[in-house]
Amino acid sequence: MSVLTRRQMEIFNFLRDNYESFAYPPSLDELCAMLGMASRGSLYKHIMALIEAGLVEPFIGNKKGGVRLTAQAQNDNAISELDLPFVGYIAAGKPIEAVETIRYMTVPDALKTDKPCYVLQVKGDSMIEAGIFDGDWVVIEQRDYASNGEIVVALIENAEATLKYIEQTAEQVLLLPANANMTALSYQPEQVAIQGVLVGQMRSYRSH
């Protein structure tokens, strides 16, 4: 499954937050105007990603047309303000795909910011010396930039995502583990896209 981009999340949030105010499900052209987007083709690609994620109904068989949320996505209109989207697993080790599904988790205000955030669950042990362990949940503020030394969700080659410290220069991006037994990952700047920065963390101590 493709990773949902920040823009796709913004489009979904707009649809979810305004769905009850629509007189009828908006067309792609109407939605373009509402979102201030110039490219209908670009919006179509984002909507197809939301269809794949199960958040928007497929256009096939949609006789009335318009962009319609799925029943599950409409039910999520009642989510608590404390809830954030839980969008799957992130590797603290070998890169794996970041987004598998979307549901919601309750997150205390102290663990998030006033900007859009989402939750990922950690797989792997490359960040253990930063106190981030396999199975922990991390709260990520959505943004496409970071300062050196921050812990980021880095999308590599538009295919795989990982959780690492970042160090950036004009010529190189280093993704640094917090595990003395592991080495840094080095990439050209165009190979790495920042998808968010770590702002909070949660852990369960229950035995399974």
Side-chain angles (χ1 to χ4, degrees):
M1 182 179 292
S2 300
V3 172
L4 286 181
T5 66
R6 182 178 66 173
R7 187 56 166 154
Q8 288 156 10
M9 292 292 293
E10 288 173 348
I11 292 169
F12 167 67
N13 287 334
F14 176 84
L15 287 168
R16 184 195 61 200
D17 294 344
N18 295 280
Y19 203 71
E20 292 184 355
S21 66
F22 295 146
Y24 50 85
S27 67
L28 286 175
D29 288 335
E30 289 170 333
L31 194 54
C32 264
M34 293 176 190
L35 293 167
M37 296 180 65
S39 172
R40 185 179 185 275
S42 177
L43 176 62
Y44 178 79
K45 291 178 181 178
H46 291 317
I47 294 298
M48 292 305 293
L50 295 177
I51 290 173
E52 185 179 351
L55 299 172
V56 170
E57 291 185 359
F59 290 116
I60 298 175
N62 183 358
K63 295 180 181 179
K64 295 183 179 180
V67 178
R68 297 171 179 268
L69 294 179
T70 61
Q72 181 62 43
Q74 290 182 56
N75 289 338
D76 282 339
N77 275 326
I79 334 178
S80 162
E81 290 184 358
L82 293 177
D83 288 354
L84 292 179
F86 168 63
V87 294
Y89 297 92
I90 182 74
K94 181 181 178 182
I96 57 176
E97 190 172 30
V99 174
E100 293 186 353
T101 187
I102 292 183
R103 56 183 190 273
Y104 289 81
M105 294 182 66
T106 299
V107 176
D109 284 338
L111 298 183
K112 57 187 179 182
T113 69
D114 57 0
K115 298 179 180 178
C117 293
Y118 58 91
V119 178
L120 292 165
Q121 190 167 23
V122 174
K123 294 288 187 181
D125 59 2
S126 75
M127 297 301 290
I128 56 175
E129 291 169 15
I132 302 171
F133 295 92
D134 184 70
D136 286 355
W137 290 275
V138 289
V139 182
I140 306 297
E141 180 185 288
Q142 292 182 22
R143 50 182 159 106
D144 57 7
Y145 63 92
S147 299
N148 286 342
E150 288 190 298
I151 297 175
V152 304
V153 173
L155 183 64
I156 301 167
E157 299 281 9
N158 204 36
E160 296 178 314
T162 189
L163 187 74
K164 294 287 184 294
Y165 285 110
I166 192 167
E167 293 290 339
Q168 308 164 91
T169 67
E171 296 79 26
Q172 179 181 237
V173 174
L174 287 177
L175 300 177
L176 306 167
N179 185 326
N181 296 318
M182 297 183 177
T183 58
L185 305 172
S186 177
Y187 298 96
Q188 297 297 312
E190 63 271 15
Q191 294 179 288
V192 178
I194 296 169
Q195 293 202 313
V197 174
L198 176 71
V199 294
Q201 182 178 347
M202 300 181 292
R203 180 176 302 157
S204 172
Y205 288 93
R206 293 181 300 175
S207 58
H208 298 284

